[in-house]
Amino acid sequence: MNKQQKEIMWYRNPAERWVEALPIGNGRLGGMVFGGVNKDVVQLNEETIWAGHYQDRNNYQSAQALPEIRRLLFAGETAKASELAQKAMVSNPKRFDSYQPLGDLTIQMTNTVEYSHYCRQLDLGNAVASVQFKDNQTNFKREYFSSAIDQVIAIRYECDKPDGLDLSVTLTRSQESVSQIFSEDTIGLVGQCGDNGVAFSGAVKIICENGTVVLNDRRRDGNEIIAFVEKADRVTFYIAANSNYRGMDHREECIQTVQKASEKGYHKVREDHIKDYRAYYDRFSIELSSGGQNEHDDGEVSTYEWLNQIREGKNDPAFAVLYMNYTRYLMISSSRPGCLPSNLQGIWNDQMWAPWESDFHTNVNLQANYWPVEAYHLSECHTPVFDWLETLVAPGSHTAKVCYDARGWVVHHASDIWGSTAIFFDIVGIWPMGAAWMCRHLYEHYLYNLDELFLREKAYPLIKGVVRFLLDFMVEAPEGTACPGSLVCNPSHSPENYFIAPDGSIGIFTYGATMDTEIIYDIGTICVEIIDILSIHQAGFDHSFKEEIMAALKKLPPVKISNRTGGIQEWAEDFEEYYPDHRHISQLYGVYPGKMITLNNSPELANAAKCTINRKYEHGYNGQGWSLSWIANVWARLLEPERAMEALQDIFQHHILHNLFINAHGNPQVGDAQGVPAAILEMLAQSHEDEIVLLPSLPKAWANGSVTGMKLRGGYTLDMFWENGLLTKATLYLSEVTIPMPIRVGSEGRYQTINNGSTLLVMRN
């Protein structure tokens, strides 16, 4: 498989729509490259450009109303409980504000050209987008990238005809901004997201070779200042953007940033960008092949043509490799140390009010965004999540007290950059498990890297606060309920499904939803394990808190198998689902990402989990790209490779957009795409059950292949090769601190493990 196949996305035409444009990003500064010839547009984003500001939206009636809401739910009076909760618990206003675009950089050829031999591409290996075309005998080339080293987007226009570039340049935004001249070769944009949102600036510095730049403040189209480039051979644009979110003088910061980049020069900026990017990207590689003759074997088919072949039913392992590399590129481009986490759309958004506010959705989406990051060998890209979680502790503690009269801290099903932790949108927002689910990512980071300082100083304080909240929040179910004497969440619901109560009423609000129990078991168990680890060097560390957790875990209700469906029961009571085809598989959290339900320790529940998914399909499963990837991960954990492959193929055929963003309910999203590589990695190696299993769920379509640089829990790094479905060789590199774990191979055959000191070799006999 050559570079053209696995690392180059390319198209024969300019993008006409946003979902055809190609993303570039440096963690916080993003662009969408349309690649037009006579009119070239790069839509721009900076991660902190959000409307709104922090507001205490907590409903101060909540804690007082909570005992009555709980009484009603335990009594089965769902409608009355929902009505009271809607009034007394849901925030006002019900929504927070949206992530917004910076604006559009528009570069127009003032002399229209007729072009041929057009190619627009994104080089995933170097993180550089480019456009090439011809006009008669003149060759034109353009490059675009976003540098983390120099904190600029750099764009380079070249042609081989002397004095061949005549351009007009504008930086514009549809609202709440003013175009300005920053200097003799720099145009800018200054604005604010509404009355209380961030104030921001963007700057474009234009450097010509053998040409001139003229900024014209008199020739305006509305509020636009136009820069004219005349008779240039080459033109370089340096774009910077900043806001006052982090307290800086954003206008001056932009001016200084583009000035420094221009003094450094395009070629050095480009060289440093690629070197920095490849330091992340080159850690990992993957090859997949069926061994057949019908695979994508050359670079003559464009990415869109290739995607259409996939949509028509072609199962091509090479496309999965391209998609893996693309999602790695998106992760590195949207989540760097020191930045905010990648949101629902990464850092790329062209709408003033984005779908779902382009927020941090914590009832699966943000988590799925980071599922593969550790195995991908991109641990640093995980750190923005941890930094962001720390900013939520203070507002989350306030919400815990106001809404539940509880200690610790809480986050509900969605949040933003302002630390919004209240109950938003509707009673569907009364789901106080977001922080608990997110905090398992802290422990995952530890398990892959074994950094005890991180565990002690960052992970444990956050996890302890979440567990403290849950211990205060849970209540004992009374006699007459489905689980008398058990500790349950009340109120509770199973995101985002509805049920039919015995009286025929439709509800979402209840007590003891299975997912809540699984999350509490998961994070409680994690907390106990951390206490045990930290106790090694500090005897008796937090012993009383450990005892309190263990006592509570013993009182959790068991996960049940539904007598009605044979699947995992979704609620404490065996309700009928209002949407049996519902996209969420909330009750299967215990299979993935948790490990409460496995084929080894709970085979009956594992088989019931299979039944749960089968039943959804039988009812015409309402799958979206992200939900199918969750299902693929579950199938991988349950050692059903062909079912996992079926889910992935469904995503590729029905939920991938022109530029390979994922389609979610008719809207493009970026973060949700990361569930796909998570599933692929889970199919190739697993390490969640205190053992390493190689090729546990290898489908027939990937009979031959290799993976190098894959991280595993316990401090291992894996290089692995296989042929005809059988492992040929695996090398596991040991870190300075490694947890000893048994190794076995899921594929048939006899293998031996050789310890070479710093490595473990697994060879076929």
Side-chain angles (χ1 to χ4, degrees):
M1 190 183 303
N2 59 39
K3 177 180 174 67
Q4 180 73 13
Q5 291 173 268
K6 67 181 182 179
E7 292 189 341
I8 302 291
M9 293 168 55
W10 71 277
Y11 300 82
R12 301 183 190 276
N13 300 293
E16 296 181 359
R17 301 177 299 147
W18 193 81
V19 293
E20 298 173 12
L22 296 173
I24 55 176
N26 68 0
R28 69 166 192 91
L29 185 61
M32 293 291 287
V33 177
F34 283 70
V37 172
N38 291 299
K39 181 180 180 181
D40 188 12
V41 176
V42 181
Q43 185 266 312
L44 301 169
N45 288 103
E46 198 281 332
E47 65 172 359
T48 64
I49 298 179
W50 279 70
H53 59 285
Y54 176 73
Q55 292 177 266
D56 182 359
R57 293 185 172 95
N58 294 292
N59 193 324
Y60 279 72
Q61 302 177 69
S62 180
Q64 184 177 354
L66 188 59
E68 177 62 10
I69 291 169
R70 285 173 165 164
R71 187 192 69 78
L72 291 168
L73 290 173
F74 279 138
E77 299 187 57
T78 301
K80 288 182 180 179
S82 299
E83 183 180 355
L84 178 56
Q86 183 73 52
K87 175 183 176 182
M89 296 189 75
V90 177
S91 65
N92 184 23
K94 293 182 179 181
R95 303 181 78 91
F96 45 72
D97 294 283
S98 178
Y99 178 51
Q100 294 188 352
L102 168 68
D104 293 332
L105 174 67
T106 304
I107 306 169
Q108 292 189 263
M109 306 269 281
T110 55
N111 297 320
T112 303
V113 301
E114 299 292 332
Y115 64 92
S116 62
H117 299 84
Y118 179 92
C119 179
R120 175 171 56 101
Q121 71 175 34
L122 177 60
D123 181 343
L124 304 174
N126 289 316
V128 176
S130 63
V131 169
Q132 297 185 60
F133 57 90
K134 284 187 176 183
D135 173 40
N136 294 322
Q137 299 303 310
T138 304
N139 295 297
F140 293 83
K141 180 181 178 181
R142 301 168 183 172
E143 286 190 334
Y144 317 73
F145 60 86
S146 185
S147 165
I149 294 294
D150 291 292
Q151 288 299 306
V152 294
I153 289 176
I155 300 173
R156 176 83 159 181
Y157 272 44
E158 298 179 356
C159 78
D160 58 9
K161 176 184 176 182
D163 306 334
L165 293 174
D166 293 294
L167 311 169
S168 68
V169 184
T170 59
L171 179 62
T172 60
R173 192 176 194 261
S174 64
Q175 62 189 53
E176 300 172 330
S177 64
V178 176
S179 185
Q180 294 183 355
I181 293 176
F182 284 1
S183 72
E184 62 184 9
D185 60 6
T186 305
I187 59 175
L189 193 69
V190 176
Q192 185 166 0
C193 300
D195 294 335
N196 298 305
V198 299
F200 59 86
S201 296
V204 182
K205 192 174 188 69
I206 306 166
I207 305 297
C208 287
E209 296 181 30
N210 299 329
T212 59
V213 179
V214 178
L215 306 188
N216 197 324
D217 198 14
R218 295 184 298 276
R219 286 185 279 174
R220 294 190 179 196
D221 177 11
N223 190 37
E224 299 173 11
I225 292 174
I226 305 174
F228 291 96
V229 176
E230 298 174 349
K231 298 186 180 304
D233 296 343
R234 289 168 290 278
V235 184
T236 304
F237 306 89
Y238 298 104
I239 302 101
N242 263 301
S243 80
N244 65 352
Y245 176 76
R246 295 187 174 99
M248 65 179 57
D249 182 341
H250 45 90
R251 186 180 187 277
E252 184 61 28
E253 185 73 17
C254 287
I255 293 170
Q256 292 182 12
T257 299
V258 295
Q259 178 64 27
K260 289 177 182 177
S262 67
E263 291 171 357
K264 188 174 182 178
Y266 177 77
H267 294 294
K268 182 59 174 171
V269 170
R270 185 183 190 275
E271 177 187 343
D272 288 350
H273 158 69
I274 292 174
K275 182 179 179 181
D276 168 72
Y277 171 79
R278 294 198 73 98
Y280 291 92
Y281 183 85
D282 286 348
R283 298 172 185 173
F284 176 96
S285 68
I286 186 169
E287 304 278 351
L288 298 172
S289 170
S290 68
Q293 301 299 313
N294 296 320
E295 297 176 13
H296 185 77
D297 56 7
D298 58 50
E300 297 302 315
V301 177
S302 73
T303 301
Y304 187 61
E305 292 161 349
W306 195 6
L307 178 60
N308 281 335
Q309 293 177 0
I310 300 297
R311 287 170 173 170
E312 292 169 0
K314 183 176 183 179
N315 190 339
D316 192 338
F319 186 82
V321 172
L322 176 71
Y323 202 75
M324 289 278 281
N325 289 331
Y326 184 51
T327 52
R328 285 198 298 134
Y329 167 84
L330 293 175
M331 179 62 71
I332 299 167
S333 300
S334 65
S335 187
R336 292 286 195 105
C339 297
L340 291 167
S342 173
N343 64 44
L344 273 176
Q345 291 181 197
I347 52 172
W348 301 280
N349 164 48
D350 66 334
Q351 299 184 46
M352 289 298 174
W353 198 286
W356 303 283
E357 292 71 52
S358 201
D359 66 19
F360 303 117
H361 236 63
T362 56
N363 70 353
V364 65
N365 307 84
L366 182 57
Q367 291 90 341
N369 199 350
Y370 286 91
W371 279 343
V373 67
E374 296 291 341
Y376 257 166
H377 212 144
L378 292 174
S379 287
E380 300 95 323
C381 295
H382 215 168
T383 58
V385 175
F386 311 146
D387 295 341
W388 176 70
L389 287 175
E390 285 186 320
T391 70
L392 299 181
V393 172
S397 299
H398 180 61
T399 296
K401 182 63 177 175
V402 168
C403 292
Y404 304 104
D405 194 22
R407 293 168 293 175
W409 65 285
V410 64
V411 175
H412 291 87
H413 86 295
S415 189
D416 58 10
I417 68 169
W418 306 114
S420 296
T421 57
I423 298 166
F424 293 104
F425 304 120
D426 206 329
I427 61 170
V428 69
I430 307 176
W431 187 76
M433 310 303 292
W437 189 347
M438 285 307 308
C439 277
R440 92 170 324 275
H441 285 251
L442 293 155
Y443 193 49
E444 286 288 285
H445 183 74
Y446 166 76
L447 289 176
Y448 279 88
N449 299 283
L450 302 181
D451 182 348
E452 190 170 314
L453 184 65
F454 167 83
L455 188 69
R456 180 183 298 275
E457 296 189 355
K458 194 144 193 168
Y460 182 65
L462 289 166
I463 292 171
K464 181 178 181 180
V466 161
V467 174
R468 176 74 275 163
F469 166 77
L470 292 171
L471 291 173
D472 285 0
F473 174 62
M474 287 188 293
V475 292
E476 189 172 300
E479 293 297 325
T481 62
C483 47
S486 294
L487 285 177
V488 296
C489 291
N490 184 352
S492 177
H493 81 268
S494 186
E496 299 168 0
N497 205 359
Y498 290 76
F499 58 82
I500 302 173
D503 63 2
S505 63
I506 298 168
I508 192 171
F509 217 29
T510 183
Y511 64 92
T514 298
M515 186 189 208
D516 288 357
T517 299
E518 292 173 330
I519 290 176
I520 293 166
Y521 176 84
D522 188 42
I523 198 66
T525 302
I526 284 171
C527 197
V528 168
E529 290 179 4
I530 293 174
I531 292 171
D532 287 343
I533 293 168
L534 297 181
S535 293
I536 294 173
H537 302 295
Q538 185 179 344
F541 176 80
D542 247 349
H543 179 73
S544 61
F545 189 56
K546 173 184 172 180
E547 292 295 312
E548 186 180 356
I549 297 168
M550 293 179 67
L553 293 179
K554 291 177 182 178
K555 293 188 68 175
L556 292 177
V559 175
K560 299 178 181 178
I561 297 174
S562 168
N563 291 326
R564 186 175 47 80
T565 68
I568 300 294
Q569 190 169 300
E570 192 163 357
W571 297 276
E573 298 185 46
D574 197 4
F575 293 129
E576 181 181 354
E577 313 101 308
Y578 185 70
Y579 296 111
D581 62 338
H582 197 265
R583 61 194 175 277
H584 281 257
I585 52 169
S586 302
Q587 67 269 46
L588 301 189
Y589 174 98
V591 180
Y592 186 94
K595 58 177 185 177
M596 183 182 188
I597 300 172
T598 73
L599 285 166
N600 288 329
N601 67 21
S602 48
E604 290 186 359
L605 290 176
N607 287 325
K610 297 179 183 181
C611 180
T612 300
I613 301 176
N614 289 333
R615 187 168 185 274
K616 286 184 180 287
Y617 277 106
E618 290 166 4
H619 285 83
Y621 179 53
N622 179 26
Q624 300 292 319
W626 65 264
S627 60
L628 284 161
S629 68
W630 193 0
I631 279 182
N633 277 282
V634 169
W635 283 130
R637 283 272 174 99
L638 297 176
L639 308 186
E640 295 280 357
E642 302 310 322
R643 298 300 304 274
M645 191 70 208
E646 175 187 296
L648 293 177
Q649 192 67 5
D650 193 345
I651 296 169
F652 292 151
Q653 286 183 332
H654 303 115
H655 298 278
I656 301 298
L657 299 168
H658 191 112
N659 65 354
L660 307 191
F661 283 177
I662 207 161
N663 180 20
H665 312 279
N667 295 293
Q669 289 184 197
V670 174
D672 290 351
Q674 299 292 350
V676 172
I680 294 172
L681 294 166
E682 200 73 26
M683 294 159 79
L684 299 181
Q686 296 178 11
S687 55
H688 61 285
E689 282 196 279
D690 300 321
E691 67 173 350
I692 293 170
V693 186
L694 307 178
L695 302 180
S697 291
L698 185 71
K700 295 176 182 178
W702 304 341
N704 301 330
S706 66
V707 62
T708 62
M710 181 178 175
K711 293 289 291 294
L712 301 174
R713 296 173 187 85
Y716 299 86
T717 303
L718 170 68
D719 292 351
M720 178 172 64
F721 304 85
W722 65 93
E723 294 179 0
N724 299 318
L726 296 176
L727 180 73
T728 55
K729 180 182 178 181
T731 304
L732 291 101
Y733 300 91
L734 311 182
S735 60
E736 291 183 6
V737 181
T738 305
I739 298 174
M741 294 169 70
I743 301 167
R744 63 184 178 89
V745 182
S747 56
E748 294 180 4
R750 298 180 63 186
Y751 299 87
Q752 60 175 326
T753 301
I754 303 170
N755 190 331
N756 283 350
S758 62
T759 62
L760 298 174
L761 300 180
V762 182
M763 308 284 291
R764 195 164 75 213
N765 289 336

